[in-house]
Amino acid sequence: MPLADLFRALPQTDRLLAGPAFAQLIERHGRSAVVAAARCALDAARDEIRASEALPAWAQTPEQLAARVAAQLATRRRTTLRPVINLTGTVLHTNLGRARQADAAIAAVVAAMQGAVNLEYDLDGAGRGHRDTAVAELLCTLTGAEAACVVNNNAAAVLIALSALAAGREVIVSRGELVEIGGAFRMPDVMRQAGCTLAEVGTTNRTHPRDYTGAVNERTALMMKVHTSNYSIEGFTRSVSEAELAPLAHEMGLPLVTDLGAGALVDLAAYGLPAEPMPQAMIAAGVDLVTFSGDKLLGGPQAGLIVGRRELIERIQSHPLKRALRCDKMTLAALEATLRLYLEPELLAERLPTLSLLTRDADELCAQAGRVAPALQSLLGDAFVVAAEPCASQIGSGSLPVNRLPSWAVTVRAADNQDRTLRQLADAWRARATPVIGRLGDGRLWLDMRCLSDEAALCAALTAP
Ligand SMILES: *Cc1c(COP(=O)(O)O)cnc(C)c1O
């Protein structure tokens, strides 16, 4: 058939849209979206005609074209940001959105999203409320601090604290604590952005109290400690603890600020986990201001929490950056609900997903791997060899990478032992409507069971059309 006849065999857009197959689509998606998708389908059909000199198999009838348009519109509805199944073994995976939220936090966010809330509206009628009030009161209760405030994330907390308290002046920090957290958060860069001058003291491995006190001059604004959460220096080392440094700073009339990073509000060692510094211990040690993340070990939404002396918090609250870095009602709702869980500590490990995932029992993980492995084997057939094997999970989010938690994985090997076969499987699982994300290593795809709460959902994700 000549090309012109083939083109003519395709319906005009208007005629196509007038047909019964399209009426339903227009009702569901509205006319303009359907028109655009129909044009797009017809363009694709013309391209194929030019290339193959035949009418494409999917464009023979108006019904077929409608099916193509329907599929395109459905794909467009699927959001790019969507749930994934995290089998990487990293519980607080920054690239996968860190902490899984508690049921109470989810309910609070949904309620806040659906309508008006008393965000800055004082229900006692005593005057204009402040959006941080509810969370700040809880943070004071939990940490023993005089005052608190909340910003977008911990990087923002450090930025605003330094901007409000030390712009145009010097901040004394140990050379061993000039950390890079990843994702372009480097302490010296944040200092520069806040307008302060960094006064580095000590050496990479050793910093003494006299290094801090010897660096004080009339331009010094504060002393700062940074928790070196993602690495450790071992061997011939010396650092100055907050408890040691606070009285020295105060003697010289300076505040001491600590950036804790993760900051656990409960003693993780009591759960058999690697100990992490606690904000309340820092306040008790005399630190004037402590910053930490909402979505790391705390297990809440992304937020930066600042607790400490009232006078310093007030300077932060009234800094112009506060408006730019403030949290919205959804974050505050989730954060308040999460913090309330800490008021009933015996039930925390049950209610806070971060803690329940971190404390999952190795025997339970082993049993789960034993259940999932045969299901995956029958799904994959004999091109792959599936097994249950012990592995080690990571806490993630800047926790020490060497601190591993004993866990169990379902591992998948390619029967042909080709890396390519395995990589294709990993890619295919990552491309599913609900992506399944494991970790490649040692010639296997490792699916750590630690963060798998719903085994049926895993099988459904891998088998869904
Ligand atoms: C993670 C971390 C930050 C950044 O916190 P975000 O909440 O990711 O912005 C800052 N300082 C330290 C020490 C950290 O570990």
Side-chain angles (χ1 to χ4, degrees):
M1 218 193 278
L3 274 187
D5 290 346
L6 288 170
F7 285 138
R8 226 170 290 129
L10 290 173
Q12 299 288 333
T13 314
D14 287 349
R15 239 192 40 231
L16 188 65
L17 290 166
F22 275 86
Q24 229 184 346
L25 284 179
I26 290 172
E27 195 171 309
R28 191 177 311 152
H29 299 277
R31 192 173 174 81
S32 62
V34 176
V35 169
R39 288 213 175 105
C40 193
L42 289 168
D43 285 345
R46 283 185 206 103
D47 287 346
E48 277 195 38
I49 291 172
R50 256 177 236 113
S52 63
E53 299 189 10
L55 202 58
W58 54 266
Q60 307 276 329
T61 66
E63 287 72 27
Q64 284 178 325
L65 282 160
R68 167 121 177 165
V69 169
Q72 202 200 334
L73 290 167
T75 318
R76 238 187 33 184
R77 272 197 175 181
R78 197 167 89 188
T79 52
T80 305
L81 181 68
R82 58 184 194 270
V84 306
I85 298 182
N86 171 15
L87 305 182
T88 61
T90 301
V91 177
L92 296 168
H93 199 301
T94 298
N95 297 355
L96 299 180
R98 290 195 185 159
R100 189 187 292 179
Q101 302 299 295
D103 290 342
I106 295 165
V109 174
V110 170
M113 288 176 87
Q114 279 167 336
V117 294
N118 59 328
L119 183 61
E120 294 192 345
Y121 185 91
D122 195 342
L123 295 177
D124 303 339
R128 189 164 181 263
H130 190 285
R131 68 172 58 212
D132 291 354
T133 303
V135 164
E137 277 171 13
L138 275 166
L139 283 170
C140 291
T141 305
L142 293 167
T143 64
E146 285 174 10
C149 85
V150 193
V151 288
N152 181 56
N153 57 17
N154 188 38
V158 175
L159 177 68
I160 195 173
L162 291 175
S163 301
L165 309 180
R169 299 169 66 198
E170 285 181 14
V171 174
I172 303 175
V173 191
S174 161
R175 281 201 169 84
E177 297 176 3
L178 293 172
V179 302
E180 172 179 310
I181 305 301
F185 181 93
R186 285 180 162 186
M187 204 36 94
D189 297 339
V190 176
M191 295 234 172
R192 200 169 313 118
Q193 195 61 43
C196 351
T197 308
L198 173 61
E200 296 174 40
V201 298
T203 59
T204 306
N205 58 330
R206 286 172 72 85
T207 303
H208 303 268
R210 62 171 185 275
D211 292 324
Y212 286 94
T213 49
V216 174
N217 63 50
E218 70 291 342
R219 297 190 57 227
T220 307
L222 54 88
M223 291 186 187
M224 179 152 193
K225 288 275 297 172
V226 183
H227 180 50
T228 57
S229 54
N230 55 358
Y231 69 98
S232 67
I233 299 176
E234 280 172 42
F236 187 56
T237 62
R238 168 79 160 105
S239 65
V240 186
S241 73
E242 278 83 353
E244 229 177 324
L245 193 53
L248 299 178
H250 296 161
E251 245 167 63
M252 309 190 87
L254 297 171
L256 173 61
V257 176
T258 292
D259 173 22
L260 279 192
L265 283 174
V266 287
D267 179 11
L268 293 182
Y271 294 90
L273 295 167
E276 272 286 330
M278 295 193 286
Q280 54 270 54
M282 294 294 147
I283 295 293
V287 175
D288 300 282
L289 217 54
V290 184
T291 65
F292 55 109
S293 278
D295 57 350
K296 290 184 179 173
L297 289 167
L298 191 113
Q302 179 188 302
L305 313 180
I306 313 176
V307 300
R309 285 210 346 253
R310 179 165 296 110
E311 183 255 331
L312 302 179
I313 295 287
E314 275 167 7
R315 279 161 68 187
I316 292 171
Q317 284 288 17
S318 57
H319 191 276
L321 266 180
K322 181 64 190 356
R323 174 62 186 246
L325 301 176
R326 72 183 187 182
C327 295
D328 71 328
K329 64 176 179 177
M330 291 176 278
T331 299
L332 290 169
L335 187 56
E336 184 187 347
T338 306
L339 290 172
R340 286 198 182 280
L341 300 178
Y342 282 87
L343 297 175
E344 297 174 355
E346 289 82 6
L347 301 173
L348 193 64
E350 246 169 77
R351 295 172 172 172
L352 191 72
T354 298
L355 196 56
S356 55
L357 294 174
L358 288 173
T359 54
R360 281 190 73 189
D361 185 54
D363 290 342
E364 182 195 324
L365 292 161
C366 175
Q368 188 173 24
R371 283 191 304 273
V372 173
L376 288 191
Q377 182 69 76
S378 68
L379 200 140
L380 287 168
D382 48 17
F384 294 93
V385 182
V386 181
E389 295 186 66
C391 68
S393 313
Q394 291 193 49
I395 297 172
S397 266
S399 302
L400 265 188
V402 293
N403 280 334
R404 297 294 182 105
L405 312 174
S407 183
W408 277 79
V410 170
T411 59
V412 183
R413 275 192 308 110
D416 62 9
N417 275 318
Q418 296 291 309
D419 276 353
R420 222 177 106 242
T421 314
L422 200 57
R423 237 177 301 117
Q424 278 169 350
L425 180 74
D427 290 349
W429 282 4
R430 210 173 33 235
R432 298 211 54 96
T434 302
V436 174
I437 303 182
R439 174 166 45 85
L440 286 168
D442 292 332
R444 313 199 218 8
L445 177 58
W446 295 79
L447 308 170
D448 190 320
M449 295 291 104
R450 181 170 297 277
C451 299
L452 179 63
S453 341
D454 189 344
E455 293 161 30
L458 171 63
C459 291
L462 294 176
T463 52

